[in-house]
Amino acid sequence: MSHFAAIDRVPGDPILGLLDAYRADSNPAKLDLGVGVYKDALGITPIPYAVKLAERQLVEHEPTKSYIGGHGDAAFGEQLLRLVLGADNALLGAGLAGATQTPGGTGALRLAGDFIAAQLPGRGIWLSAPTWPIHESIFATCGLRVEHYPYVGADNRLDVEAMLDALQRVPAGDVVLLHACCHNPTGFDLSQHDWQRVLEVVKARELLPLIDFAYQGFGDGLEQDAWAVRLFAAELPELLITSSCSKNFGLYRERTGALIVRAENFEKLIDIRSQLAFLARNLWSTPPAHGAAVVASILGDAQLRTLWTEEVEAMRLRIANLRNGLVSALAPHGLAERFAHITAQRGMFSYTGLTASQVQRLRQEFSVYLVSSGRANVAGMSEQRLDYLADAIAQVCR
Ligand code: PMP
């Protein structure tokens, strides 16, 4: 008998498949707007100087490589809570919020999913349609009932009314996943007014929000992007937040993130954290230390923190300028209005509104690589190539 004979092959990640095709393309004019990492003007995903400096110090002074505890690096947890919830947030002094370090934002989502499955049985989780595809597979793997609320209409516009309408019909107690900023894959974010309305529905329906915060600093700024997270943490006694340091610290492969819990009282927070440590023990035992130590060093040092803040701001502004630049480059083709949403969107991604067949033509005729949904990674563009890109888009839109 073969134990493995009946095992099928899982189709590869379509975005990574796109990257393979891009690498194999010999056209020197090729553009990779597929993969979801930040890139600078040279097409490189840089390591921030603040990270390099902190790493240098760590190499010199790190005393041990012994395990860190189940909740990870305590200094990292404290600093990250302040970054996410605000340095002077009263919840922190009152012991009403805690961070459990995880391998990246993905690890935080998985831990949240396992926590919900184990401790809140029967609850469904509601995801925006569309959402980051890994949300779908993580929560399904955790055994949760995965449901969807509409987010973007057929006209490629944010449809808040449809979203609210759907949330109003979500069973009481279910979990609703919200993107704090820089919605992946669409780039469409809720306005502050929209967030207030979502909060009202969450309260009325007694839903538990799980806020995915993977792009702090890439939207309107480090503090501004946390606005909705802080509103929800102030207004709701119970809340889950997943935070990722992959993009804003450039620590992708160091797997640095946290699951933040806001609880009604200190005792309950300790209870919940004991459950999280138990679940984490079965998933990864203790989290990887290096990235968290880097983040703790940067956020805990005034000079490094200032340098890092400037570096995040430079990344954010580069993306914002590329958005404006692309729409300006589309203007001579009479397409500025049709693609005006690109400047209204936030973060690295843009749902361009290009169809699958237009995306295919962009790839075949112009070596411009986008995901078939029409999602473009704006950070993959470069100032010098915007005219080429605009021309290519104009030709496939004819
Ligand atoms: N959430 C969203 C919406 C994301 O786009 C990502 C990264 N692509 C993550 C979470 C997780 O990122 P990581 O595990 O690399 O920190």
Side-chain angles (χ1 to χ4, degrees):
M1 173 182 94
S2 165
H3 295 290
F4 299 153
I7 297 174
D8 286 335
R9 193 169 305 179
V10 174
D13 183 330
I15 301 183
L16 296 181
L18 199 67
L19 185 62
D20 289 340
Y22 171 80
R23 286 190 177 134
D25 190 331
S26 58
N27 182 353
K30 65 184 178 179
L31 269 177
D32 172 21
L33 309 183
V35 176
V37 295
Y38 176 81
K39 291 185 193 173
D40 65 14
L42 301 172
I44 290 166
T45 302
I47 305 173
Y49 289 117
V51 168
K52 276 286 181 206
L53 292 172
E55 285 184 315
R56 210 169 286 161
Q57 289 175 11
L58 267 178
V59 167
E60 288 296 321
H61 302 296
E62 190 173 47
T64 178
K65 293 281 188 195
S66 178
Y67 299 118
I68 48 177
H71 294 290
D73 182 325
F76 166 80
E78 278 166 34
Q79 293 290 353
L80 196 74
L81 281 172
R82 289 153 61 92
L83 182 70
V84 169
L85 294 175
D88 51 5
N89 194 318
L91 293 172
L92 304 182
L96 298 181
T100 297
Q101 190 195 318
T102 56
T106 306
L109 289 161
R110 176 61 201 246
L111 184 59
D114 277 1
F115 171 71
I116 295 162
Q119 296 301 319
L120 308 173
R123 312 289 182 98
I125 186 161
W126 293 72
L127 312 177
S128 62
T131 193
W132 183 44
I134 311 300
H135 285 150
E136 313 272 356
S137 53
I138 286 180
F139 298 117
T141 303
C142 294
L144 299 181
R145 171 169 47 85
V146 177
E147 313 257 14
H148 298 92
Y149 58 85
Y151 194 71
V152 171
D155 57 351
N156 196 40
R157 293 284 178 277
L158 176 65
D159 193 346
V160 183
E161 300 310 324
M163 173 185 180
L164 289 166
D165 190 53
L167 291 182
Q168 244 128 20
R169 282 176 277 117
V170 169
D174 272 7
V175 180
V176 55
L177 188 140
L178 301 161
H179 298 227
C181 68
C182 308
H183 185 273
N184 182 5
T186 70
F188 288 114
D189 281 352
L190 300 175
S191 69
Q192 293 190 351
H193 177 65
D194 297 334
W195 277 109
Q196 300 269 11
R197 295 177 71 199
V198 172
L199 177 64
E200 291 319 311
V201 178
V202 163
K203 283 181 179 171
R205 297 296 311 151
E206 298 183 285
L207 308 180
L208 173 63
L210 165 54
I211 306 186
D212 185 354
F213 202 6
Y215 297 92
Q216 185 172 6
F218 273 37
D220 292 313
L222 282 166
E223 296 296 313
Q224 293 87 333
D225 290 348
W227 185 87
V229 170
R230 293 174 190 177
L231 172 76
F232 274 52
E235 292 278 329
L236 297 169
E238 295 171 328
L239 177 65
L240 300 171
I241 304 158
T242 56
S243 167
S244 165
C245 303
S246 300
K247 311 288 158 36
N248 50 10
F249 286 89
L251 282 168
Y252 305 84
R253 65 172 66 162
E254 299 297 350
R255 314 308 302 130
T256 312
L259 174 59
I260 294 175
V261 178
R262 194 278 197 232
E264 198 157 18
N265 60 59
F266 180 68
E267 286 303 314
K268 194 45 66 189
L269 183 67
I270 302 302
D271 293 343
I272 294 165
R273 283 170 64 73
S274 74
Q275 296 290 349
L276 295 180
F278 171 77
L279 292 169
R281 173 102 195 126
N282 292 309
L283 288 167
W284 47 74
S285 182
T286 65
H290 180 75
V294 168
V295 170
S297 308
I298 292 173
L299 296 180
D301 178 291
Q303 267 181 317
L304 285 180
R305 191 189 181 109
T306 304
L307 174 61
W308 170 72
T309 304
E310 288 166 3
E311 294 187 273
V312 180
E313 188 60 6
M315 291 193 275
R316 186 184 80 77
L317 287 175
R318 175 178 141 72
I319 298 168
N321 289 338
L322 287 167
R323 287 185 180 279
N324 292 330
L326 178 59
V327 176
S328 300
L330 286 162
H333 301 281
L335 292 172
E337 204 172 315
R338 172 161 169 197
F339 288 99
H341 55 272
I342 292 177
T343 54
Q345 293 163 334
R346 288 289 177 271
M348 294 201 307
F349 301 118
S350 170
Y351 241 34
T352 57
L354 293 166
T355 62
S357 62
Q358 289 168 333
V359 167
Q360 197 179 359
R361 280 193 60 198
L362 278 176
R363 176 173 158 181
Q364 284 168 350
E365 296 170 31
F366 302 95
S367 298
V368 172
Y369 290 77
L370 260 76
V371 185
S372 60
S373 63
R375 185 195 87 164
N377 176 7
V378 179
M381 301 172 192
S382 81
E383 284 80 0
Q384 292 72 33
R385 307 296 313 288
L386 289 178
D387 287 335
Y388 175 82
L389 178 59
D391 191 53
I393 292 174
Q395 295 212 35
V396 302
C397 285
R398 260 194 209 120

